[in-house]
Amino acid sequence: MRILYIHQYFKTPLEPGGTRSYWISKKLVEVGHQVTMITSKSGMKSKTETVMIDGIQVIYVNVPYDNNMSIPARLYAFMRFMWLSTAVGFQKEFDLVIATSTPLTVGFPALVLKKLRQKPYIFEVRDLWPEVPIQMGGLKNRMLIELAKVFERSIYKNAIHIIALSPGMYEGVKSVGVSDEKISMIPNMSKIDEFWPREKNLVLQRELGLSESSFKIIHFGTLGIANGAMSIIETAIHMKKEVDVEFIFLGGGSTEKELEDRCRRENLKNVHFLGKFGMTTTSEIVNVCDVSIVSFLNLPILYTNSPNKLFDSLSAGKPIIVNSAGWTKELVEEYKCGLYVDPDNPDSLKNAILFLKNNKEAAKQMGKASRKLAEDQYDKSILVQKFAEIILAQQTRVDV
């Protein structure tokens, strides 16, 4: 089957960012489908650029985007990608569209191609838009909110199938009138061959200016408003005197400068912002750390998240601290692979860190439980197969 895959933020393992669509596309190619990915890229000299990546035809459209952009600049990027991906889609021959959010506007080209070219689509829900920007205060106009909700319902109604990335997202889709039979839940993926526990790279630690003997807590991935990483900085302030504890941030985003400025004002020596890396180096850095933290603002809609860093941390065999009172809390507590902390109480995180630091056997057992969970339930080899089976199940509804 010829599949048109639309994802504004498609990344390969050589680039910083989530690689879910890459692994899914590779699997679809492996089982015999032709996959064309439409995505965005900054700094292009032409409107489009086409390359082959591991059997996937990738069409880049010239849409600059960065997590540090203002809200109006982001909205412009969303709209520009929406129109350009629609135009590219009309030029291609295909049998099925897979559209993956966010943003919700990625559903527009899929909807148009269904209406005007009678091509079915599968929609993947990575966040419950527009509810996320509504609860975070980014979408306040009542008329725009109602229009966004109508658009959301239309995308769900017209899809032949919907894939949600968490139980909360599943329930969110269901709550607007979508039947159970039309929804599947496939969370983000662990990558057990990319992140795994091994001897720590002491040379890398020295190169990065990290202490070889410290107890290291890492937050890796986006540093956006939703991540609420200032709560980690507040804890670092409370732990100033713990000279053998270091906080490490990998990645970047709109709040990075604010976080760094706060650290400078507080003269914190125990916090390191290392920047962005590809998967190989990220894996090495995660491996030298002792605990991974998955942080979000204390908002009910963010309890539904399915963060990449959680599943990579499982693969890496790390104890995981989560501060979101949703399914991730239930997961780390049920499988005994981490701890939940109150995002609004810096001492809660401090106490969790000190517990893991001072109870090495407990931390070790949590790390083992993390790795086992990654291997048994969440590895990409398991979940991309599940995705491919959903495509196969829908194939009878596709006129090829």
mmCIF file of all heavy atoms in Angstrom, residues 331-376:
data_model
loop_
_atom_site.group_PDB
_atom_site.id
_atom_site.type_symbol
_atom_site.label_atom_id
_atom_site.label_comp_id
_atom_site.label_asym_id
_atom_site.label_seq_id
_atom_site.Cartn_x
_atom_site.Cartn_y
_atom_site.Cartn_z
ATOM 1 N N LEU A 331 1.965 4.003 36.557
ATOM 2 C CA LEU A 331 2.921 3.071 35.954
ATOM 3 C C LEU A 331 4.138 2.855 36.850
ATOM 4 O O LEU A 331 4.509 1.715 37.141
ATOM 5 C CB LEU A 331 3.344 3.583 34.575
ATOM 6 C CG LEU A 331 4.274 2.699 33.749
ATOM 7 C CD1 LEU A 331 3.948 2.830 32.270
ATOM 8 C CD2 LEU A 331 5.736 3.071 33.969
ATOM 9 N N VAL A 332 4.765 3.959 37.311
ATOM 10 C CA VAL A 332 5.991 3.790 38.108
ATOM 11 C C VAL A 332 5.688 3.152 39.458
ATOM 12 O O VAL A 332 6.520 2.418 40.013
ATOM 13 C CB VAL A 332 6.765 5.120 38.285
ATOM 14 C CG1 VAL A 332 7.199 5.686 36.944
ATOM 15 C CG2 VAL A 332 5.977 6.148 39.086
ATOM 16 N N GLU A 333 4.488 3.407 39.981
ATOM 17 C CA GLU A 333 4.138 2.812 41.276
ATOM 18 C C GLU A 333 3.750 1.343 41.131
ATOM 19 O O GLU A 333 4.138 0.504 41.945
ATOM 20 C CB GLU A 333 3.009 3.619 41.919
ATOM 21 C CG GLU A 333 3.464 5.011 42.361
ATOM 22 C CD GLU A 333 2.376 5.833 43.020
ATOM 23 O OE1 GLU A 333 1.186 5.489 42.876
ATOM 24 O OE2 GLU A 333 2.715 6.831 43.688
ATOM 25 N N GLU A 334 2.992 1.012 40.088
ATOM 26 C CA GLU A 334 2.568 -0.379 39.893
ATOM 27 C C GLU A 334 3.755 -1.293 39.624
ATOM 28 O O GLU A 334 3.839 -2.407 40.166
ATOM 29 C CB GLU A 334 1.575 -0.474 38.735
ATOM 30 C CG GLU A 334 1.134 -1.900 38.440
ATOM 31 C CD GLU A 334 0.159 -2.010 37.275
ATOM 32 O OE1 GLU A 334 -0.301 -0.954 36.765
ATOM 33 O OE2 GLU A 334 -0.142 -3.150 36.856
ATOM 34 N N TYR A 335 4.692 -0.820 38.786
ATOM 35 C CA TYR A 335 5.821 -1.667 38.402
ATOM 36 C C TYR A 335 7.063 -1.421 39.254
ATOM 37 O O TYR A 335 8.123 -1.977 38.983
ATOM 38 C CB TYR A 335 6.130 -1.466 36.908
ATOM 39 C CG TYR A 335 5.038 -2.034 36.024
ATOM 40 C CD1 TYR A 335 4.034 -1.201 35.521
ATOM 41 C CD2 TYR A 335 4.993 -3.386 35.725
ATOM 42 C CE1 TYR A 335 3.018 -1.715 34.720
ATOM 43 C CE2 TYR A 335 3.982 -3.909 34.928
ATOM 44 C CZ TYR A 335 2.995 -3.067 34.432
ATOM 45 O OH TYR A 335 1.979 -3.583 33.644
ATOM 46 N N LYS A 336 6.926 -0.540 40.255
ATOM 47 C CA LYS A 336 7.998 -0.285 41.224
ATOM 48 C C LYS A 336 9.310 0.121 40.531
ATOM 49 O O LYS A 336 10.389 -0.337 40.898
ATOM 50 C CB LYS A 336 8.226 -1.511 42.108
ATOM 51 C CG LYS A 336 7.011 -1.861 42.967
ATOM 52 C CD LYS A 336 7.269 -3.080 43.821
ATOM 53 C CE LYS A 336 6.142 -3.323 44.813
ATOM 54 N NZ LYS A 336 4.807 -3.424 44.218
ATOM 55 N N CYS A 337 9.173 0.989 39.529
ATOM 56 C CA CYS A 337 10.355 1.446 38.803
ATOM 57 C C CYS A 337 10.652 2.921 39.039
ATOM 58 O O CYS A 337 11.504 3.504 38.364
ATOM 59 C CB CYS A 337 10.210 1.177 37.311
ATOM 60 S SG CYS A 337 8.766 1.918 36.536
ATOM 61 N N GLY A 338 9.967 3.536 40.002
ATOM 62 C CA GLY A 338 10.231 4.942 40.266
ATOM 63 C C GLY A 338 9.361 5.486 41.374
ATOM 64 O O GLY A 338 8.697 4.747 42.110
ATOM 65 N N LEU A 339 9.358 6.816 41.483
ATOM 66 C CA LEU A 339 8.645 7.505 42.549
ATOM 67 C C LEU A 339 7.843 8.666 41.988
ATOM 68 O O LEU A 339 8.246 9.296 40.997
ATOM 69 C CB LEU A 339 9.625 8.043 43.591
ATOM 70 C CG LEU A 339 10.531 7.027 44.299
ATOM 71 C CD1 LEU A 339 11.606 7.759 45.089
ATOM 72 C CD2 LEU A 339 9.719 6.113 45.205
ATOM 73 N N TYR A 340 6.743 8.975 42.644
ATOM 74 C CA TYR A 340 5.952 10.160 42.308
ATOM 75 C C TYR A 340 6.253 11.261 43.318
ATOM 76 O O TYR A 340 6.381 10.999 44.519
ATOM 77 C CB TYR A 340 4.463 9.846 42.331
ATOM 78 C CG TYR A 340 3.598 11.090 42.321
ATOM 79 C CD1 TYR A 340 3.402 11.807 41.137
ATOM 80 C CD2 TYR A 340 3.013 11.564 43.491
ATOM 81 C CE1 TYR A 340 2.624 12.963 41.119
ATOM 82 C CE2 TYR A 340 2.235 12.717 43.492
ATOM 83 C CZ TYR A 340 2.048 13.412 42.299
ATOM 84 O OH TYR A 340 1.294 14.561 42.293
ATOM 85 N N VAL A 341 6.376 12.512 42.818
ATOM 86 C CA VAL A 341 6.589 13.651 43.705
ATOM 87 C C VAL A 341 5.586 14.750 43.372
ATOM 88 O O VAL A 341 5.075 14.841 42.249
ATOM 89 C CB VAL A 341 8.031 14.209 43.600
ATOM 90 C CG1 VAL A 341 9.054 13.159 43.999
ATOM 91 C CG2 VAL A 341 8.329 14.732 42.193
ATOM 92 N N ASP A 342 5.325 15.581 44.341
ATOM 93 C CA ASP A 342 4.405 16.716 44.184
ATOM 94 C C ASP A 342 5.109 17.818 43.399
ATOM 95 O O ASP A 342 6.132 18.350 43.853
ATOM 96 C CB ASP A 342 4.005 17.224 45.575
ATOM 97 C CG ASP A 342 3.024 18.386 45.523
ATOM 98 O OD1 ASP A 342 2.789 18.939 44.432
ATOM 99 O OD2 ASP A 342 2.489 18.744 46.591
ATOM 100 N N PRO A 343 4.598 18.198 42.224
ATOM 101 C CA PRO A 343 5.275 19.209 41.401
ATOM 102 C C PRO A 343 5.306 20.595 42.036
ATOM 103 O O PRO A 343 6.104 21.441 41.638
ATOM 104 C CB PRO A 343 4.460 19.217 40.104
ATOM 105 C CG PRO A 343 3.106 18.731 40.512
ATOM 106 C CD PRO A 343 3.354 17.721 41.591
ATOM 107 N N ASP A 344 4.438 20.826 43.005
ATOM 108 C CA ASP A 344 4.359 22.143 43.640
ATOM 109 C C ASP A 344 5.093 22.205 44.969
ATOM 110 O O ASP A 344 5.003 23.203 45.688
ATOM 111 C CB ASP A 344 2.882 22.526 43.851
ATOM 112 C CG ASP A 344 2.128 22.622 42.531
ATOM 113 O OD1 ASP A 344 2.731 23.077 41.535
ATOM 114 O OD2 ASP A 344 0.942 22.229 42.497
ATOM 115 N N ASN A 345 5.841 21.150 45.290
ATOM 116 C CA ASN A 345 6.563 21.106 46.563
ATOM 117 C C ASN A 345 8.019 20.693 46.312
ATOM 118 O O ASN A 345 8.307 19.512 46.129
ATOM 119 C CB ASN A 345 5.890 20.116 47.513
ATOM 120 C CG ASN A 345 6.579 20.038 48.863
ATOM 121 O OD1 ASN A 345 7.593 20.703 49.105
ATOM 122 N ND2 ASN A 345 6.057 19.215 49.752
ATOM 123 N N PRO A 346 8.951 21.659 46.299
ATOM 124 C CA PRO A 346 10.357 21.337 46.028
ATOM 125 C C PRO A 346 10.945 20.304 46.982
ATOM 126 O O PRO A 346 11.811 19.512 46.593
ATOM 127 C CB PRO A 346 11.060 22.688 46.187
ATOM 128 C CG PRO A 346 10.004 23.712 45.966
ATOM 129 C CD PRO A 346 8.747 23.110 46.487
ATOM 130 N N ASP A 347 10.459 20.282 48.223
ATOM 131 C CA ASP A 347 10.980 19.316 49.192
ATOM 132 C C ASP A 347 10.570 17.885 48.848
ATOM 133 O O ASP A 347 11.248 16.934 49.221
ATOM 134 C CB ASP A 347 10.500 19.668 50.603
ATOM 135 C CG ASP A 347 11.314 20.803 51.210
ATOM 136 O OD1 ASP A 347 12.484 20.975 50.799
ATOM 137 O OD2 ASP A 347 10.779 21.527 52.067
ATOM 138 N N SER A 348 9.449 17.735 48.145
ATOM 139 C CA SER A 348 9.005 16.401 47.745
ATOM 140 C C SER A 348 10.023 15.770 46.794
ATOM 141 O O SER A 348 10.411 14.608 46.956
ATOM 142 C CB SER A 348 7.630 16.481 47.079
ATOM 143 O OG SER A 348 7.165 15.203 46.693
ATOM 144 N N LEU A 349 10.489 16.556 45.828
ATOM 145 C CA LEU A 349 11.519 16.066 44.906
ATOM 146 C C LEU A 349 12.842 15.872 45.636
ATOM 147 O O LEU A 349 13.547 14.880 45.434
ATOM 148 C CB LEU A 349 11.687 17.042 43.735
ATOM 149 C CG LEU A 349 12.797 16.720 42.728
ATOM 150 C CD1 LEU A 349 12.653 15.319 42.154
ATOM 151 C CD2 LEU A 349 12.812 17.767 41.603
ATOM 152 N N LYS A 350 13.176 16.819 46.511
ATOM 153 C CA LYS A 350 14.417 16.700 47.293
ATOM 154 C C LYS A 350 14.431 15.397 48.089
ATOM 155 O O LYS A 350 15.429 14.661 48.078
ATOM 156 C CB LYS A 350 14.549 17.893 48.240
ATOM 157 C CG LYS A 350 15.740 17.797 49.182
ATOM 158 C CD LYS A 350 15.758 18.977 50.161
ATOM 159 C CE LYS A 350 16.880 18.822 51.183
ATOM 160 N NZ LYS A 350 16.907 19.955 52.144
ATOM 161 N N ASN A 351 13.329 15.077 48.751
ATOM 162 C CA ASN A 351 13.261 13.868 49.565
ATOM 163 C C ASN A 351 13.381 12.608 48.720
ATOM 164 O O ASN A 351 14.014 11.627 49.129
ATOM 165 C CB ASN A 351 11.969 13.853 50.374
ATOM 166 C CG ASN A 351 11.922 14.938 51.432
ATOM 167 O OD1 ASN A 351 12.969 15.433 51.870
ATOM 168 N ND2 ASN A 351 10.729 15.328 51.843
ATOM 169 N N ALA A 352 12.785 12.628 47.526
ATOM 170 C CA ALA A 352 12.872 11.473 46.627
ATOM 171 C C ALA A 352 14.310 11.260 46.161
ATOM 172 O O ALA A 352 14.807 10.130 46.115
ATOM 173 C CB ALA A 352 11.944 11.669 45.434
ATOM 174 N N ILE A 353 14.985 12.356 45.823
ATOM 175 C CA ILE A 353 16.381 12.264 45.380
ATOM 176 C C ILE A 353 17.264 11.717 46.497
ATOM 177 O O ILE A 353 18.087 10.820 46.280
ATOM 178 C CB ILE A 353 16.883 13.645 44.904
ATOM 179 C CG1 ILE A 353 16.180 14.047 43.597
ATOM 180 C CG2 ILE A 353 18.400 13.642 44.711
ATOM 181 C CD1 ILE A 353 16.404 15.489 43.194
ATOM 182 N N LEU A 354 17.081 12.252 47.702
ATOM 183 C CA LEU A 354 17.914 11.795 48.819
ATOM 184 C C LEU A 354 17.626 10.336 49.171
ATOM 185 O O LEU A 354 18.537 9.592 49.546
ATOM 186 C CB LEU A 354 17.681 12.690 50.031
ATOM 187 C CG LEU A 354 18.229 14.122 49.891
ATOM 188 C CD1 LEU A 354 17.877 14.955 51.117
ATOM 189 C CD2 LEU A 354 19.746 14.117 49.660
ATOM 190 N N PHE A 355 16.362 9.930 49.032
ATOM 191 C CA PHE A 355 16.037 8.525 49.281
ATOM 192 C C PHE A 355 16.788 7.622 48.311
ATOM 193 O O PHE A 355 17.404 6.624 48.715
ATOM 194 C CB PHE A 355 14.533 8.291 49.149
ATOM 195 C CG PHE A 355 14.162 6.832 49.206
ATOM 196 C CD1 PHE A 355 14.041 6.173 50.414
ATOM 197 C CD2 PHE A 355 13.953 6.108 48.029
ATOM 198 C CE1 PHE A 355 13.715 4.821 50.462
ATOM 199 C CE2 PHE A 355 13.631 4.754 48.068
ATOM 200 C CZ PHE A 355 13.517 4.111 49.289
ATOM 201 N N LEU A 356 16.768 7.962 47.025
ATOM 202 C CA LEU A 356 17.438 7.128 46.025
ATOM 203 C C LEU A 356 18.956 7.190 46.180
ATOM 204 O O LEU A 356 19.650 6.192 45.979
ATOM 205 C CB LEU A 356 17.027 7.577 44.617
ATOM 206 C CG LEU A 356 15.550 7.329 44.271
ATOM 207 C CD1 LEU A 356 15.173 8.036 42.975
ATOM 208 C CD2 LEU A 356 15.262 5.839 44.159
ATOM 209 N N LYS A 357 19.453 8.356 46.558
ATOM 210 C CA LYS A 357 20.895 8.510 46.761
ATOM 211 C C LYS A 357 21.381 7.671 47.942
ATOM 212 O O LYS A 357 22.459 7.057 47.890
ATOM 213 C CB LYS A 357 21.215 9.986 46.987
ATOM 214 C CG LYS A 357 22.677 10.291 47.338
ATOM 215 C CD LYS A 357 22.874 11.802 47.433
ATOM 216 C CE LYS A 357 24.286 12.155 47.876
ATOM 217 N NZ LYS A 357 24.498 11.897 49.317
ATOM 218 N N ASN A 358 20.575 7.628 48.985
ATOM 219 C CA ASN A 358 21.002 6.960 50.219
ATOM 220 C C ASN A 358 20.556 5.498 50.312
ATOM 221 O O ASN A 358 20.932 4.797 51.255
ATOM 222 C CB ASN A 358 20.475 7.737 51.425
ATOM 223 C CG ASN A 358 21.059 9.139 51.507
ATOM 224 O OD1 ASN A 358 22.222 9.350 51.148
ATOM 225 N ND2 ASN A 358 20.271 10.097 51.950
ATOM 226 N N ASN A 359 19.751 5.068 49.349
ATOM 227 C CA ASN A 359 19.275 3.685 49.339
ATOM 228 C C ASN A 359 19.612 3.067 47.983
ATOM 229 O O ASN A 359 18.746 2.884 47.126
ATOM 230 C CB ASN A 359 17.770 3.634 49.612
ATOM 231 C CG ASN A 359 17.411 4.062 51.014
ATOM 232 O OD1 ASN A 359 17.381 3.259 51.933
ATOM 233 N ND2 ASN A 359 17.153 5.359 51.184
ATOM 234 N N LYS A 360 20.883 2.766 47.826
ATOM 235 C CA LYS A 360 21.380 2.311 46.526
ATOM 236 C C LYS A 360 20.729 1.007 46.071
ATOM 237 O O LYS A 360 20.483 0.815 44.879
ATOM 238 C CB LYS A 360 22.907 2.165 46.574
ATOM 239 C CG LYS A 360 23.632 3.496 46.694
ATOM 240 C CD LYS A 360 25.137 3.306 46.682
ATOM 241 C CE LYS A 360 25.862 4.642 46.548
ATOM 242 N NZ LYS A 360 25.445 5.623 47.559
ATOM 243 N N GLU A 361 20.428 0.110 46.986
ATOM 244 C CA GLU A 361 19.815 -1.158 46.596
ATOM 245 C C GLU A 361 18.395 -0.934 46.073
ATOM 246 O O GLU A 361 17.985 -1.549 45.080
ATOM 247 C CB GLU A 361 19.795 -2.140 47.772
ATOM 248 C CG GLU A 361 19.266 -3.522 47.416
ATOM 249 C CD GLU A 361 20.050 -4.205 46.305
ATOM 250 O OE1 GLU A 361 21.268 -3.965 46.167
ATOM 251 O OE2 GLU A 361 19.417 -4.990 45.549
ATOM 252 N N ALA A 362 17.645 -0.044 46.723
ATOM 253 C CA ALA A 362 16.294 0.275 46.255
ATOM 254 C C ALA A 362 16.343 0.909 44.868
ATOM 255 O O ALA A 362 15.543 0.566 43.987
ATOM 256 C CB ALA A 362 15.602 1.216 47.248
ATOM 257 N N ALA A 363 17.305 1.824 44.680
ATOM 258 C CA ALA A 363 17.461 2.464 43.371
ATOM 259 C C ALA A 363 17.832 1.430 42.308
ATOM 260 O O ALA A 363 17.328 1.463 41.171
ATOM 261 C CB ALA A 363 18.523 3.563 43.443
ATOM 262 N N LYS A 364 18.710 0.509 42.674
ATOM 263 C CA LYS A 364 19.136 -0.540 41.741
ATOM 264 C C LYS A 364 17.955 -1.405 41.317
ATOM 265 O O LYS A 364 17.801 -1.725 40.121
ATOM 266 C CB LYS A 364 20.211 -1.396 42.401
ATOM 267 C CG LYS A 364 20.751 -2.517 41.518
ATOM 268 C CD LYS A 364 21.824 -3.306 42.272
ATOM 269 C CE LYS A 364 22.328 -4.475 41.433
ATOM 270 N NZ LYS A 364 23.356 -5.269 42.181
ATOM 271 N N GLN A 365 17.103 -1.781 42.258
ATOM 272 C CA GLN A 365 15.950 -2.625 41.939
ATOM 273 C C GLN A 365 14.944 -1.876 41.067
ATOM 274 O O GLN A 365 14.329 -2.466 40.168
ATOM 275 C CB GLN A 365 15.285 -3.112 43.231
ATOM 276 C CG GLN A 365 16.136 -4.078 44.044
ATOM 277 C CD GLN A 365 16.614 -5.269 43.225
ATOM 278 O OE1 GLN A 365 15.858 -5.882 42.469
ATOM 279 N NE2 GLN A 365 17.904 -5.611 43.377
ATOM 280 N N MET A 366 14.775 -0.583 41.312
ATOM 281 C CA MET A 366 13.895 0.218 40.453
ATOM 282 C C MET A 366 14.440 0.259 39.032
ATOM 283 O O MET A 366 13.681 0.164 38.054
ATOM 284 C CB MET A 366 13.762 1.644 41.003
ATOM 285 C CG MET A 366 12.911 1.758 42.243
ATOM 286 S SD MET A 366 12.780 3.485 42.787
ATOM 287 C CE MET A 366 11.992 3.275 44.375
ATOM 288 N N GLY A 367 15.748 0.424 38.902
ATOM 289 C CA GLY A 367 16.366 0.445 37.581
ATOM 290 C C GLY A 367 16.162 -0.868 36.835
ATOM 291 O O GLY A 367 15.867 -0.884 35.633
ATOM 292 N N LYS A 368 16.292 -1.974 37.552
ATOM 293 C CA LYS A 368 16.056 -3.280 36.931
ATOM 294 C C LYS A 368 14.600 -3.432 36.494
ATOM 295 O O LYS A 368 14.309 -3.977 35.415
ATOM 296 C CB LYS A 368 16.413 -4.398 37.915
ATOM 297 C CG LYS A 368 17.905 -4.595 38.122
ATOM 298 C CD LYS A 368 18.171 -5.778 39.055
ATOM 299 C CE LYS A 368 19.664 -6.055 39.178
ATOM 300 N NZ LYS A 368 19.935 -7.213 40.086
ATOM 301 N N ALA A 369 13.684 -2.938 37.326
ATOM 302 C CA ALA A 369 12.265 -3.006 36.985
ATOM 303 C C ALA A 369 11.956 -2.155 35.752
ATOM 304 O O ALA A 369 11.130 -2.532 34.910
ATOM 305 C CB ALA A 369 11.422 -2.548 38.169
ATOM 306 N N SER A 370 12.633 -1.007 35.644
ATOM 307 C CA SER A 370 12.464 -0.151 34.468
ATOM 308 C C SER A 370 12.870 -0.895 33.200
ATOM 309 O O SER A 370 12.117 -0.933 32.211
ATOM 310 C CB SER A 370 13.318 1.116 34.606
ATOM 311 O OG SER A 370 12.789 1.999 35.553
ATOM 312 N N ARG A 371 14.048 -1.479 33.231
ATOM 313 C CA ARG A 371 14.550 -2.181 32.049
ATOM 314 C C ARG A 371 13.640 -3.349 31.656
ATOM 315 O O ARG A 371 13.352 -3.558 30.471
ATOM 316 C CB ARG A 371 15.974 -2.674 32.310
ATOM 317 C CG ARG A 371 16.608 -3.436 31.149
ATOM 318 C CD ARG A 371 16.848 -2.562 29.947
ATOM 319 N NE ARG A 371 17.400 -3.327 28.827
ATOM 320 C CZ ARG A 371 17.778 -2.817 27.655
ATOM 321 N NH1 ARG A 371 17.664 -1.527 27.450
ATOM 322 N NH2 ARG A 371 18.257 -3.585 26.710
ATOM 323 N N LYS A 372 13.169 -4.090 32.644
ATOM 324 C CA LYS A 372 12.292 -5.231 32.357
ATOM 325 C C LYS A 372 10.989 -4.770 31.709
ATOM 326 O O LYS A 372 10.483 -5.396 30.769
ATOM 327 C CB LYS A 372 11.995 -6.003 33.647
ATOM 328 C CG LYS A 372 11.194 -7.285 33.425
ATOM 329 C CD LYS A 372 11.043 -8.062 34.702
ATOM 330 C CE LYS A 372 10.371 -9.415 34.522
ATOM 331 N NZ LYS A 372 9.536 -9.619 33.374
ATOM 332 N N LEU A 373 10.442 -3.662 32.203
ATOM 333 C CA LEU A 373 9.208 -3.124 31.640
ATOM 334 C C LEU A 373 9.415 -2.684 30.190
ATOM 335 O O LEU A 373 8.559 -2.919 29.328
ATOM 336 C CB LEU A 373 8.726 -1.951 32.490
ATOM 337 C CG LEU A 373 7.353 -1.355 32.169
ATOM 338 C CD1 LEU A 373 6.264 -2.411 32.223
ATOM 339 C CD2 LEU A 373 7.051 -0.208 33.123
ATOM 340 N N ALA A 374 10.559 -2.064 29.929
ATOM 341 C CA ALA A 374 10.881 -1.658 28.557
ATOM 342 C C ALA A 374 10.963 -2.871 27.637
ATOM 343 O O ALA A 374 10.419 -2.870 26.525
ATOM 344 C CB ALA A 374 12.202 -0.887 28.535
ATOM 345 N N GLU A 375 11.632 -3.899 28.091
ATOM 346 C CA GLU A 375 11.824 -5.099 27.273
ATOM 347 C C GLU A 375 10.519 -5.854 27.044
ATOM 348 O O GLU A 375 10.271 -6.347 25.936
ATOM 349 C CB GLU A 375 12.844 -6.026 27.946
ATOM 350 C CG GLU A 375 14.251 -5.470 27.985
ATOM 351 C CD GLU A 375 15.207 -6.336 28.793
ATOM 352 O OE1 GLU A 375 14.725 -7.202 29.566
ATOM 353 O OE2 GLU A 375 16.423 -6.157 28.648
ATOM 354 N N ASP A 376 9.687 -5.950 28.093
ATOM 355 C CA ASP A 376 8.501 -6.807 28.021
ATOM 356 C C ASP A 376 7.290 -6.144 27.371
ATOM 357 O O ASP A 376 6.470 -6.828 26.754
ATOM 358 C CB ASP A 376 8.103 -7.262 29.430
ATOM 359 C CG ASP A 376 9.121 -8.202 30.055
ATOM 360 O OD1 ASP A 376 10.027 -8.658 29.331
ATOM 361 O OD2 ASP A 376 9.005 -8.460 31.280
#
